[in-house]
Amino acid sequence: MADTALRQSHSDVSEPRIRLASIAIRDFRNLERVDLQFPEEGVALIGDNGHGKTNLLEAIYYLQILRSIRDARDQDLTRFDAAGFHIAAKVYEPDAHEIGVGFERATRRKKVTLDGVQPRRLSDALGSLPSVMFSPRDLELVSGAPSERRRYLDLVLALTDRKYLHALQHYRANLARRNAALRNATRRGASDAEVSVWEPALAEHGSRLIETRAKWVAGSAPDFTQLAESIGEKGRAEMRYLSPFAESEARYDVLLAAFEEKRALDMRRGVTHVGPHRDDLELTLDGRDLRLFGSAGQQRTAAIALRMLEAATLRDHSGAEPVLLLDDPFAELDIRRAAKILLMLEQRGLGQTILAVPRETDIPPGLMRLDRLKVRDGVITT
């Protein structure tokens, strides 16, 4: 699975790397017009908070997930008074590819092209720029609600497993339809049949989601423990997939029966109470829930370990180091832990790195070699 997360040899540096060669951005957030060429090693973006550093990283990552990493709507990503936004990039994987994505505010339509050709489905372009974004906001992966951790699992697995992506899309669509039927039942009264019709599809696709999540978590759990220890955590960090159906052998039948069992409750309350959309990724330190009992430092360690597992999973899938987008990631870490994390990334084989920091003095010693770009009021200069 992600067993290569902990490679400790500098020979890994010679392994293939995804490389972002250039990007052109028009009217994305406060970035009116940006045209950049990126060195093979990457760049350090320097500028005060609120001037556009994170917006540039978000635009790059948009080419990976085709939406905002910050959950903003596309119309809200469009610069004020602009008709839409457009992002185009040239990427080496190691072969050259061109990726383009545009959004039109008036029609709310999104168009994606890969090497000049529009894919049949938008999801066919998902993962076109393998990249991982590290940010202080990652703390929410550990301290936040279960939905944060489900989103993490869904993203990692959808980017690396087309069958999972297919199952996720169908599960969400059928869940929305069942919930709509439940709301109708709550307001006007409806028959069981109007609700139960969606349950076989939910059981089919939901069982695949649970199986894939459980397998990935089980395979990655030893790496999570070792990563947290290597970063400097003294206790034993562990992760476990929490689902009442994770251990079931006849998972489809058990899940289908659970939908039937909860149907009366669901019809009273207008929402589906059981299924993989209710599961969680449990993160513990010495057996205690990190979300409830972990210190801020312990939670940050766990969050960074999760991002490193994400990078390892993308690397295993693509056969190359993903681009690293570092949004002032060490700002709230002590110097010792920050140095260990950077050393671990370097030992594994550091991918092209795009670092955003407020001041030049915030650049870690291990990344001082990066070329500098200055960011002020959405304008990027050397």
Side-chain angles (χ1 to χ4, degrees):
M1 188 65 59
D3 55 51
T4 53
L6 303 173
R7 296 173 185 167
Q8 298 296 311
S9 168
H10 283 281
S11 64
D12 291 336
V13 175
S14 63
E15 291 193 355
R17 301 194 302 182
I18 306 297
R19 182 164 71 88
L20 175 62
S22 63
I23 194 165
I25 303 169
R26 300 291 182 269
D27 297 320
F28 184 90
R29 291 200 183 267
N30 75 329
L31 305 175
E32 181 178 2
R33 185 182 183 92
V34 172
D35 294 282
L36 293 174
Q37 307 285 326
F38 291 101
E40 189 168 336
E41 293 299 315
V43 295
L45 306 168
I46 302 167
D48 292 337
N49 293 333
H51 281 257
K53 303 187 307 298
T54 299
N55 294 344
L56 177 57
L57 297 183
E58 183 180 17
I60 295 170
Y61 197 72
Y62 196 101
L63 298 173
Q64 157 102 322
I65 63 173
L66 305 179
R67 57 183 170 86
S68 167
I69 193 174
R70 293 186 272 181
D71 280 338
R73 300 177 304 170
D74 284 329
Q75 54 264 40
D76 296 328
L77 298 176
T78 305
R79 192 176 62 85
F80 184 69
D81 279 347
F85 67 79
H86 190 265
I87 309 167
K90 187 172 185 178
V91 178
Y92 289 89
E93 302 182 326
D95 295 331
H97 296 285
E98 293 184 351
I99 309 166
V101 58
F103 171 77
E104 188 178 70
R105 194 202 294 267
T107 61
R108 299 194 176 185
R109 290 186 60 189
K110 187 184 308 187
K111 179 181 177 182
V112 176
T113 58
L114 300 176
D115 294 323
V117 178
Q118 190 170 354
R120 191 163 64 90
R121 295 179 298 266
L122 201 63
S123 60
D124 290 341
L126 197 70
S128 295
L129 176 57
S131 51
V132 179
M133 190 163 174
F134 291 73
S135 161
R137 292 186 300 278
D138 291 342
L139 189 66
E140 295 176 11
L141 287 176
V142 183
S143 64
S147 59
E148 295 285 344
R149 291 175 290 282
R150 286 194 300 269
R151 183 173 183 259
Y152 167 82
L153 288 173
D154 286 340
L155 187 62
V156 172
L157 295 171
L159 287 170
T160 55
D161 185 334
R162 287 287 162 180
K163 290 181 179 179
Y164 186 91
L165 174 61
H166 175 83
L168 182 64
Q169 291 172 324
H170 284 269
Y171 183 85
R172 286 177 172 173
N174 283 282
L175 180 64
R177 293 177 184 123
R178 186 178 190 267
N179 283 341
L182 290 170
R183 288 192 295 273
N184 286 336
T186 303
R187 290 194 300 265
R188 299 195 300 270
S191 67
D192 271 19
E194 293 177 75
V195 175
S196 64
V197 66
W198 307 112
E199 293 169 6
L202 283 173
E204 176 189 353
H205 299 296
S207 59
R208 178 175 286 279
L209 297 183
I210 294 167
E211 179 183 2
T212 307
R213 288 176 182 177
K215 184 179 178 181
W216 183 86
V217 173
S220 301
D223 287 348
F224 177 78
T225 300
Q226 191 174 343
L227 282 165
E229 180 183 347
S230 299
I231 293 170
E233 205 51 67
K234 292 182 173 62
R236 181 174 177 81
E238 295 180 296
M239 72 174 182
R240 184 168 67 98
Y241 180 49
L242 292 184
S243 170
F245 313 102
E247 304 299 326
S248 303
E249 291 186 6
R251 195 172 288 113
Y252 170 87
D253 295 331
V254 174
L255 192 53
L256 187 61
F259 288 126
E260 181 180 1
E261 180 185 346
K262 295 288 186 181
R263 194 182 303 142
L265 173 66
D266 293 349
M267 291 178 73
R268 287 197 303 272
R269 297 189 178 176
V271 67
T272 301
H273 285 83
V274 66
H277 64 287
R278 310 282 290 192
D279 295 345
D280 198 359
L281 178 65
E282 182 184 59
L283 305 170
T284 61
L285 185 67
D286 289 335
R288 293 168 65 85
D289 190 340
L290 274 166
R291 183 175 70 89
L292 299 175
F293 302 107
S295 68
Q298 291 167 340
Q299 291 177 345
R300 289 189 187 97
T301 294
I304 289 170
L306 288 176
R307 288 298 183 213
M308 295 180 82
L309 285 177
E310 180 181 346
T313 304
L314 288 177
R315 181 181 65 242
D316 291 346
H317 175 69
S318 68
E321 289 290 342
V323 175
L324 295 181
L325 306 174
L326 307 181
D327 188 10
D328 204 9
F330 308 131
E332 298 175 27
L333 287 172
D334 60 72
I335 295 174
R336 179 180 56 86
R337 290 196 188 209
K340 284 187 176 181
I341 292 163
L342 193 56
L343 179 62
M344 291 164 66
L345 290 170
E346 289 175 331
Q347 287 176 333
R348 191 194 65 206
L350 196 63
Q352 184 187 33
T353 303
I354 301 174
L355 170 71
V357 290
R359 297 165 296 276
E360 192 161 351
T361 54
D362 294 322
I363 300 175
L367 295 176
M368 290 297 290
R369 68 185 183 281
L370 295 178
D371 290 354
R372 279 33 162 202
L373 292 175
K374 297 176 183 177
V375 184
R376 183 176 177 84
D377 294 328
V379 178
I380 301 173
T381 57
T382 55

